[in-house]
Amino acid sequence: MLRKKLKLSSTEDAELSEIYDVPNMSLALSNKHFNSIEPEEIPAKLLKHANGLNEKLSNLSFNKPVEYIYNPVEYAFDMYEAFIRKFCNEEKKILLLGMNPGPWGMAQTGIPFGEIKMVKEWYRIEAKINKPAIECPDRPIMGLNCHRSEISGKRLYEFFKKVSDTPENFFKNTYLYNYCPLAFMMKQNGKNITPAQLKGSVKKELEEHCNDTLLQVLSTLNTEIIIALGKYVKDQAESILRAHNIDHIQVIYLLHPSPQIPGNQNWGTKAQKSYPKKMHSSSNNVLNPNELSESEKHYMEIAFTYARDALRNQEVPVGCIFVYNNEIIAKGRNTVNETRNATRHAEMNCIDDVIAYCDEKSIESKDVFENVSIYVTVEPCIMCAAALYNLKIKQILFGCRNDRFGGQTVFDVSTVLNPVTDVKGGYRADEAMALLKEFYKGTNPSAPPSKVKIKSIDTKLV
């Protein structure tokens, strides 16, 4: 077995040897985990990148105030591997980039931002977790039995659940990765030391190794967007891309979810605005009828009432209502044929009604739209989706997909506008689609005469 040492300075190493009766501060690094891995697999490549980084970092010596060093990628390797194999079996367009393990998150579970409850209940990952060679008395490794909760991880996972419902949905296009696998702690109270707070040449060496590995990860995953959680990793990511003349990867800065960061209240809301919806799995967010409240089901029923009314009046059968503070403030259907105006879709009619409502109440329409939930029988078309995203509508719940003009299905408008709107569909989809099929069986009464010339064919026998 290959063993390497993660070292403090020689003097400090000797002192700790006396205290803990060990030859020096060490973390075992083993290649045993990689013997049976096929080299072409993405999980295998990521694990090999991690192993290579561990070996390089094991040769570094850290001075005070660093007293303890944890590498959860090593002692909780089984958890780290399980996370990769469960959620990273293919290329990922988004890399969510953290800095290094927190004492009550990844240091306990081996998973980046691995808040205990979420790892057990949301990820549903359980595997063997060992202990570091030398353990900080104030930061003991309890693994999944740890009763402390890391606030940063908790905030991040609450955000995950809000935008994607399931981890499978979230990680469809995203991989979560920490820039540095090491956790550094001071002797006094085990206070955390970040890579950004390290001093001297060892900081430069650590960054060189971490930068090289990050570049390997980006290449393996064919990443297009880096979401940098914090200024330090943002600067490191941008530095790497500049140094290698990489211009096809976008870096988006997002405040780290740590409560110690100034101005970090309402982190989840800020994160949702920054996160690129074009890459997360909004197109896969299917409404589960069991998750809808009775009032939400009632709202959808009202929307279907308007859709059926549209069909009776020879309009494309789409019904829609806007709900604000549990009050229906706009409702309607398509009136394109009635008005002979191609923009008079149900959603556009409701937008006009909301503006009128705000004028009557003397309130700002902007504030109202940002807190509106829309219930519509069919996925909004490209035109309506763009309008709703620009208004920063809170959420859209629709019935069936719009295979002809859908703002997700035909052209994903979110790739252009990067909206904050939460969009889910699939509720009573068969019923909504049946109404559309019924309409398209007939002829649109307002459709213009066909201009296609039909060439006559002489069938006379000669």
Side-chain angles (χ1 to χ4, degrees), residues 317-361:
V318 178
C320 178
I321 66 170
F322 283 33
V323 177
Y324 172 68
N325 286 344
N326 298 316
E327 176 190 355
I328 299 175
I329 61 172
K331 52 191 176 182
R333 59 170 174 82
N334 277 16
T335 58
V336 170
N337 292 330
E338 176 186 332
T339 61
R340 295 188 177 275
N341 183 338
T343 69
R344 293 294 87 195
H345 292 194
E347 299 93 328
M348 304 301 280
N349 287 334
C350 285
I351 289 174
D352 288 348
D353 289 346
V354 171
I355 293 173
Y357 167 88
C358 292
D359 288 344
E360 180 182 343
K361 301 287 186 180

Side-chain angles (χ1 to χ4, degrees), residues 233-349:
V233 292
K234 169 184 173 291
D235 292 343
Q236 296 304 312
E238 291 178 340
S239 174
I240 295 169
L241 300 181
R242 282 196 304 270
H244 294 273
N245 295 317
I246 299 173
D247 56 9
H248 67 278
I249 298 179
Q250 178 186 5
V251 178
I252 297 176
Y253 169 67
L254 186 61
L255 278 174
H256 193 280
S258 170
Q260 298 180 9
I261 304 296
N264 212 13
Q265 296 81 10
N266 301 317
W267 183 88
T269 301
K270 296 174 183 176
Q272 191 171 2
K273 290 181 179 180
S274 299
Y275 195 78
K277 283 226 168 188
K278 70 174 182 177
M279 292 299 183
H280 86 58
S281 51
S282 60
S283 61
N284 294 309
N285 283 355
V286 178
L287 279 172
N288 182 345
N290 296 325
E291 295 179 358
L292 266 64
S293 66
E294 290 304 313
S295 60
E296 288 177 316
K297 292 177 182 178
H298 175 64
Y299 294 146
M300 286 299 288
E301 174 55 35
I302 295 174
F304 272 98
T305 299
Y306 279 93
R308 289 188 285 268
D309 182 65
L311 182 62
R312 287 192 294 270
N313 286 275
Q314 295 185 305
E315 298 280 358
V316 176
V318 178
C320 178
I321 66 170
F322 283 33
V323 177
Y324 172 68
N325 286 344
N326 298 316
E327 176 190 355
I328 299 175
I329 61 172
K331 52 191 176 182
R333 59 170 174 82
N334 277 16
T335 58
V336 170
N337 292 330
E338 176 186 332
T339 61
R340 295 188 177 275
N341 183 338
T343 69
R344 293 294 87 195
H345 292 194
E347 299 93 328
M348 304 301 280
N349 287 334

Side-chain angles (χ1 to χ4, degrees), residues 114-134:
E115 199 269 340
I116 306 296
K117 182 178 179 181
M118 299 307 296
V119 170
K120 293 196 294 187
E121 298 181 8
W122 207 51
Y123 284 174
R124 297 185 182 277
I125 294 176
E126 290 192 38
K128 184 177 181 180
I129 300 174
N130 297 309
K131 285 179 175 282
I134 297 178

Side-chain angles (χ1 to χ4, degrees), residues 170-190:
F170 186 84
F171 288 109
K172 180 176 177 60
N173 295 299
T174 302
Y175 178 54
L176 181 58
Y177 177 76
N178 264 340
Y179 172 77
C180 174
L182 305 182
F184 306 101
M185 286 155 282
M186 297 173 62
K187 184 175 182 179
Q188 184 178 4
N189 300 325

Side-chain angles (χ1 to χ4, degrees), residues 356-371:
Y357 167 88
C358 292
D359 288 344
E360 180 182 343
K361 301 287 186 180
S362 298
I363 55 179
E364 287 289 336
S365 60
K366 176 180 178 294
D367 296 333
V368 172
F369 279 121
E370 291 181 2
N371 289 282

